[in-house]
């Protein structure tokens, strides 16, 4: 009798243990992620300046935000950046993956070579590309020194072009990761299909366009979600590469949020911009999660 | 063997305990003076405090303009654990005081007679609601024009004293293939030039009205249009790679003769001494064009935070040391600035610093000692950045002066909400 009771306690403990162990992390996430999301949203409706305060000002911060020229630039930059960044990364990643999938020699070595930039942080990438793109010491100076006198590449110094230098550096950093995602997808496709297609006389191009790429849809989706949220929160690369300049030409929502909240003593407006960024991320992630969860059922 | 180990570790524990007991208290100071010369200058303060029996707990936060230091400070203060003192610039002292975060240094001020030796315009920032809340460390002058003497001599030119002369000289230099102005295109550097132009074109009263009082009529006036006209002209005198360059690299261009002039504060002297050229001789120092007689200033302050009763003595000792004659002289000799008290012997300072002291005294008398916008001594961070955005946008684009003025007026109205 006693013995059976003992087993019952252990059983119950075994059942409860995961919950007990997990509960601190759940509590921490509830407070430090969702709690602070609520706190930030609340701050965005207050007149907080240098330190948080709780004077309700309604939508004032959002009105100021949308009238702000720098926010305008930031949103435009985000649009340019994310379209090009996601588009080019997917294209290059797909091409690399298809070429690597041809059972070439040294595949492992090449795969690591392309994936390696991912190991660097965006700060390092930014500083390195800042030097490469600087006309005084980088590419332009080197090529002119080799005798190509007329060569000119000074986008990083030009107000209208500087945002594209950020695209270049970001694509360099991430396309290897996209390649890895697609390669995994490609390897999941049944070889029988290739043979069947070849028997039917399909060209390689048609095989990829009509059979392989449509099947890569899940890989595309995950690449898109990862790249999109990286684009929206991109901060360190901009800071390292251009510092938001020339002028404020390469300002992005994340740099805007940081500078308004912490250096410009406009915490309310900074919080409003953070909420706008959160909504943008949610607009991408929520439909994705929803479709994923629905498919599982 | 075992016994020995235990004994020796006991000895270590005891001795470390003892060293902590020798110094009664520590002062913890948050600052962003992390470069070699600045750190050396702070050692003077450390030694002085040590002789009074206070330890020094350094809290340096790297980053030129102190932006990251301010973020750290906010975290510390909101967390209820402020440092004994923190380096702050002009308006920030008042902002913190208005948040109720600063303590009271008035008793030290009274004992040491600060009232009599600190210039009034500096005092305005250090005193809040009748109480001394911060001590000034130094006075920097941002409205300097630095001139490469060799280039001017070889080309038979005279250093310019007005903006018209500046434009003529620069055009001559440009025609000879010499870059007239060394400049780094970072927003604060653009704003430093803007300061000089507003003061030069509009005069001290206009500067006060437009920048300090944010008078909408002054901000939208024709004088302001002229200011932006002059900014556009200056834009034509910098080399094509200027954007994003650090100020010390611009100063290096001036020293190496790659550019003829630079509009920059007197911290540029540090770079010159480092490169073994003499400020005042190889590199001439003049007030920025059309600004002679006025003195734009920045002061670094150590603000005393509202610490518990235990630390108040240490804080007072720190404040007293900072404004002592010895520290003021030693520190400012290294830092390139001039002392924040007016009764320091000037013999050991260089020619430019001595001129700075003369001009300071003159400006103090005439009431033309004015806090600089570009360095947080005229407006709080939000208005300062609002103006900076417009100035740097105008400098880096092709918009007209009238349009720039319109944007400026709108931006200020938004920032004041």
């Amino acid at each position: 009798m006693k013995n059976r009771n003992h087993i019952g306690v252990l059983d119950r403990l075994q059942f409860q243990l995961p919950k007990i162990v997990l509960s601190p992390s759940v509590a921490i996430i509830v407070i430090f992620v969702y709690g602070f999301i609520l706190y930030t949203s609340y701050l965005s409706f207050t007149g907080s300046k240098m330190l948080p305060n709780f004077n309700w000002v309604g939508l004032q911060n959002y009105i100021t935000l949308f009238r702000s020229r720098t926010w305008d630039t930031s949103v435009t930059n985000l649009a340019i950046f994310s379209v090009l960044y996601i588009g080019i990364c997917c294209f290059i990643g797909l091409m690399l993956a298809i070429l690597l999938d041809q059972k070439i020699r040294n595949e492992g070595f090449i795969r690591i070579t392309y994936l390696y930039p991912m190991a660097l942080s965006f700060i390092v990438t930014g500083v390195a590309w800042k030097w490469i793109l600087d006309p005084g010491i980088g590419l332009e100076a080197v090529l002119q020194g080799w005798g190509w006198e007329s060569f000119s590449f000074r986008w990083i110094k030009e107000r209208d072009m500087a945002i594209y230098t950020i695209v270049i550096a970001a694509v360099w950093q991430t396309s290897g990761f996209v390649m890895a995602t697609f390669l995994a997808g490609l390897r999941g496709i049944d070889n029988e299909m290739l043979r069947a297609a070849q028997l039917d006389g399909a060209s390689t191009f048609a095989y990829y366009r009509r059979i392989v790429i449509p099947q890569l849809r899940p890989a595309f989706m995950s690449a898109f979600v990862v790249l999109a949220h990286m684009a929206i929160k991109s901060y360190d690369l901009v800071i390292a590469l251009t510092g938001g300049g020339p002028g404020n030409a390469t300002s992005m929502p994340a740099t805007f949020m940081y500078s308004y909240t912490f250096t410009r003593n406009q915490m309310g407006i900074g919080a409003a911009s953070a909420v706008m960024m959160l909504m943008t991320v949610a607009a991408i992630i929520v439909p994705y999660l929803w479709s994923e969860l629905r498919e599982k059922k | 063997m075992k016994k020995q180990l235990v004994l020796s570790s006991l000895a270590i524990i005891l001795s470390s305990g003892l060293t902590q007991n020798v110094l009664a208290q520590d002062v913890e100071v948050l600052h962003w003076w992390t470069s070699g010369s600045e750190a050396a200058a702070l050692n003077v303060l450390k030694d002085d405090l040590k002789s009074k029996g206070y330890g020094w707990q350094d809290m340096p936060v790297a980053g030129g303009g102190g932006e990251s230091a301010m973020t750290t400070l906010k975290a510390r203060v909101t967390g209820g654990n402020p440092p004994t003192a923190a380096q702050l610039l002009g308006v920030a002292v008042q902002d913190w005081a208005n948040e109720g975060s600063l303590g009271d240094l008035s008793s030290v001020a009274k004992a040491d007679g600060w009232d009599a030796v600190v210039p009034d315009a500096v005092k305005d920032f250090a005193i809040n609601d009748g109480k001394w809340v911060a001590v000034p460390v130094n006075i920097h002058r941002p409205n300097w024009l630095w001139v490469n003497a060799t280039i001017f001599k070889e080309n038979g030119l005279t250093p310019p004293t007005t903006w018209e002369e500046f434009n003529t000289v620069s055009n001559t230099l440009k025609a000879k293939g010499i870059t007239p102005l060394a400049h780094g295109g970072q927003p604060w550097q653009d704003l430093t030039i803007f300061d000089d132009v507003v003061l030069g074109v509009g005069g001290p009263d206009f500067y006060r009205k437009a920048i300090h009082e944010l008078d909408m009529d002054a901000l939208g006036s024709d004088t302001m249009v002229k200011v932006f006209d002059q900014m556009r002209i200056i834009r034509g005198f910098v080399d094509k790679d200027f954007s994003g360059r650090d100020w010390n690299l611009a100063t290096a261009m001036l020293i190496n003769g790659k550019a003829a002039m630079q509009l920059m504060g007197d911290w540029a002297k540090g770079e010159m001494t480092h490169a073994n050229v003499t400020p005042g001789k190889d590199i001439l120092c003049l007030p920025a064009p059309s600004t002679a007689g006025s003195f734009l200033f920045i002061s670094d302050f150590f603000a005393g935070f509202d610490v518990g009763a235990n630390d108040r003595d240490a804080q007072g000792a720190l404040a007293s040391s900072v404004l002592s004659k010895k520290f003021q002289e030693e520190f400012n000799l290294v830092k390139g600035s001039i002392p924040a008290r007016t009764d320091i012997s000037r013999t050991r300072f260089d020619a430019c610093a001595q001129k700075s002291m003369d001009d300071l005294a003159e400006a103090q008398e005439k009431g033309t000692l004015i806090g600089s916008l570009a360095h947080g001594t005229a407006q709080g961070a939000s208005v300062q950045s609002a103006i900076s955005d417009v100035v740097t946008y105008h400098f880096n684009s092709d918009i007209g002066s009238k349009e720039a003025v319109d944007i400026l007026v709108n931006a200020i109205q938004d920032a004041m909400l």
Side-chain angles (χ1 to χ4, degrees):
Chain A
M1 188 69 179
K2 229 177 189 180
N3 200 19
R4 205 180 295 161
N5 197 8
H6 186 64
I7 291 169
V9 169
L10 269 185
D11 272 350
R12 230 175 296 154
L13 192 65
Q14 199 170 19
F15 179 69
Q16 298 286 355
L17 194 63
K19 288 185 188 171
I20 294 168
V21 173
L22 278 179
S23 55
S25 70
V26 169
I28 286 170
I29 286 180
V30 165
I31 295 169
F32 289 99
V33 176
Y34 298 97
F36 282 151
I37 286 177
L38 288 178
Y39 185 61
T40 306
S41 314
Y42 183 73
L43 281 185
S44 74
F45 294 104
T46 66
S48 299
K49 296 285 185 211
M50 186 163 76
L51 298 174
N53 69 38
F54 302 102
N55 307 327
W56 189 262
V57 295
L59 287 172
Q60 189 56 58
N61 287 327
Y62 290 90
I63 295 169
T64 316
L65 182 69
F66 286 116
R67 283 179 54 171
S68 154
R69 171 176 296 275
T70 317
W71 178 250
D72 216 39
T73 318
S74 306
V75 172
T76 317
N77 278 341
L78 177 63
I80 297 175
F81 176 77
S82 42
V83 167
L84 289 177
Y85 171 59
I86 297 172
I88 299 175
C89 265
C90 284
F91 180 76
I92 294 181
L94 182 63
M95 285 303 128
L96 289 175
I98 288 177
L99 293 177
L100 267 183
D101 196 36
Q102 307 302 314
K103 306 275 171 338
I104 52 170
R105 265 197 288 172
N106 296 330
E107 187 202 310
F109 174 74
I110 297 171
R111 202 166 57 189
I112 287 171
T113 309
Y114 283 121
L115 198 54
Y116 205 74
M118 194 70 186
L120 298 176
S121 81
F122 267 123
I123 285 285
V124 179
T125 309
V127 172
W129 278 92
K130 181 185 181 174
W131 290 334
I132 296 172
L133 295 171
D134 188 291
I137 52 173
L139 200 60
E140 185 178 301
V142 169
L143 286 181
Q144 286 183 353
W146 287 348
W148 188 356
E149 295 289 344
S150 62
F151 181 82
S152 170
F153 187 75
R154 36 193 319 107
W155 282 7
I156 200 166
K157 300 281 182 189
E158 285 168 21
R159 199 183 161 76
D160 301 331
M161 302 307 285
I163 184 71
Y164 300 106
T165 63
I166 296 175
V167 176
I168 295 175
V171 164
W172 177 85
Q173 163 102 326
T174 345
S175 39
F177 155 76
V178 179
M179 173 203 75
T181 314
F182 283 146
L183 197 55
L186 283 176
R187 292 288 148 85
I189 293 171
D190 197 349
N191 262 337
E192 292 299 318
M193 281 203 209
L194 174 59
R195 268 181 232 142
Q198 277 169 343
L199 282 180
D200 287 346
S203 67
T204 316
F205 178 73
Y207 165 68
Y208 274 106
R209 196 171 74 88
R210 290 178 183 269
I211 300 172
V212 174
I213 293 178
Q215 289 206 51
L216 284 178
R217 196 176 151 271
F220 266 113
M221 278 308 285
S222 22
F224 174 77
V225 168
V226 170
L227 292 179
H229 94 269
M230 279 172 85
I232 291 166
K233 70 181 191 191
S234 57
Y235 172 82
D236 33 10
L237 185 64
V238 183
I239 293 299
L241 193 62
T242 62
N248 282 323
T250 49
S251 162
M252 295 275 258
T255 63
F256 180 97
M257 190 279 287
Y258 183 86
S259 89
Y260 271 71
T261 311
F262 297 112
T263 63
R264 296 182 167 215
N265 292 352
Q266 304 254 46
M267 198 172 268
I269 297 173
S273 71
V275 171
M276 293 313 298
M277 283 167 65
L278 177 73
M279 307 248 257
T280 319
V281 175
I284 295 166
I285 304 280
V286 170
Y288 172 73
L289 286 180
W290 191 64
S291 71
E292 286 283 290
L293 292 175
R294 205 179 49 166
E295 271 169 27
K296 290 278 153 60
K297 280 178 187 172
Chain B
M1 190 67 188
K2 218 176 184 181
K3 215 179 212 174
Q4 221 170 12
L5 201 73
V6 172
L7 278 177
S8 58
S9 41
L10 214 90
I12 291 170
I13 292 166
L14 277 177
S15 60
S16 64
L18 280 175
T19 42
Q20 268 174 3
N21 285 338
V22 169
L23 303 169
Q25 279 162 329
D26 279 352
V27 288
E28 190 184 12
V29 181
L30 188 148
H31 61 90
W32 61 88
W33 283 326
T34 46
S35 85
S37 64
E38 290 167 342
L42 278 180
N43 273 334
V44 182
L45 185 58
K46 263 177 235 184
D47 292 342
D48 193 34
L49 280 169
K50 209 177 205 171
S51 70
K52 292 183 185 171
Y54 294 102
W56 175 278
Q57 210 181 330
D58 211 21
M59 196 184 169
V61 183
E67 285 179 2
S68 21
M70 286 303 103
T71 314
T72 315
L73 181 62
K74 274 175 209 172
R76 287 283 302 266
V77 175
T78 34
N81 178 27
T84 323
Q87 180 189 359
L88 291 178
L89 286 169
V91 179
V93 175
Q94 295 294 320
D95 284 348
W96 280 108
N98 293 334
E99 295 278 349
S101 307
L102 299 188
D104 188 357
L105 301 170
S106 299
S107 53
V108 189
K110 208 168 177 197
D112 288 4
W114 292 355
D115 260 319
V117 291
V118 177
D120 290 338
V122 179
K123 247 187 270 178
D124 286 347
F125 290 105
I127 299 177
N128 180 279
D129 203 13
K131 287 184 296 192
W132 282 84
V133 291
V135 275
V137 184
N138 57 6
I139 296 176
H140 271 298
R141 184 185 201 182
N143 63 321
W144 279 116
L145 175 71
W146 304 95
V147 171
N148 184 312
T150 324
I151 295 183
F152 270 66
K153 209 175 188 183
E154 279 172 1
N155 294 287
L157 296 168
T158 342
T161 54
T162 64
W163 284 114
E164 290 79 48
E165 287 175 30
F166 176 86
N167 297 344
T168 321
V169 165
S170 299
N171 278 320
T172 317
L173 285 163
K174 208 176 166 187
K176 296 190 180 193
I178 304 165
T179 305
L181 190 69
H183 178 55
Q186 294 167 331
W188 71 269
Q189 297 190 52
D190 297 339
L191 202 59
T192 302
I193 294 187
F194 182 74
D195 260 358
D196 296 340
V197 179
V198 174
L199 185 61
V201 171
D205 290 334
F206 178 77
Y207 189 96
R208 279 223 182 84
K209 230 178 168 51
I211 305 293
H212 286 220
E213 293 161 24
L214 297 177
D215 179 282
M216 285 302 160
D217 293 334
L219 283 168
S221 66
D222 290 343
T223 315
M224 202 45 107
V225 177
K226 277 189 209 137
V227 167
F228 279 103
D229 285 343
Q230 179 61 36
M231 290 298 287
R232 178 60 75 232
I233 298 173
I234 293 173
R235 172 71 172 80
F237 295 149
V238 300
D239 67 321
K240 57 191 170 72
D241 289 341
F242 75 100
S243 79
R245 178 188 288 144
D246 286 324
W247 69 271
N248 50 337
L249 298 180
T251 308
M253 288 172 64
L254 171 79
I255 296 170
N256 300 334
K258 286 194 183 135
M261 296 179 281
Q262 186 186 15
L263 287 158
M264 184 48 63
D266 43 18
W267 47 90
K269 279 193 301 186
E271 294 296 308
M272 295 172 200
T273 348
H274 202 68
N276 286 324
V277 296
T278 317
K281 193 163 144 273
D282 304 316
I283 304 288
L284 308 175
C285 46
L286 293 88
S290 301
T291 66
S294 304
F295 194 108
L296 279 185
F297 79 94
I298 326 165
S299 264
D300 286 297
F301 292 88
F302 276 139
F305 277 80
D306 198 3
V307 288
N310 288 339
D311 290 325
R312 211 154 285 154
D313 286 345
Q315 190 177 52
L318 172 75
S320 174
S321 290
V322 167
L323 212 54
S324 71
K325 283 190 173 176
K326 177 165 171 266
F327 174 72
Q328 288 285 325
E329 183 172 1
E330 296 295 332
F331 179 83
N332 287 303
L333 275 171
V334 183
K335 183 74 167 56
S337 40
I338 62 173
R341 51 191 293 164
T342 44
D343 58 347
I344 305 287
S345 148
R346 59 180 59 197
T347 42
R348 288 172 66 200
F349 287 88
D350 63 54
C352 295
Q354 292 188 3
K355 183 161 172 41
S356 210
M357 292 177 190
D358 289 340
D359 290 356
L360 176 73
E362 186 197 337
Q364 160 90 334
E365 199 149 294
K366 291 203 308 197
T368 50
L369 182 58
I370 306 169
S372 144
L373 171 73
H375 304 275
T377 318
Q379 287 292 343
S382 56
V383 171
Q384 183 190 342
S385 332
I387 300 179
S388 163
D389 283 349
V390 182
V391 170
T392 195
Y393 175 55
H394 171 264
F395 204 77
N396 283 286
S397 69
D398 297 321
I399 61 165
S401 306
K402 188 79 191 70
E403 194 185 343
V405 168
D406 291 343
I407 300 173
L408 180 68
V409 171
N410 283 332
I412 302 278
Q413 276 164 347
D414 280 350
M416 290 198 312
L417 283 175

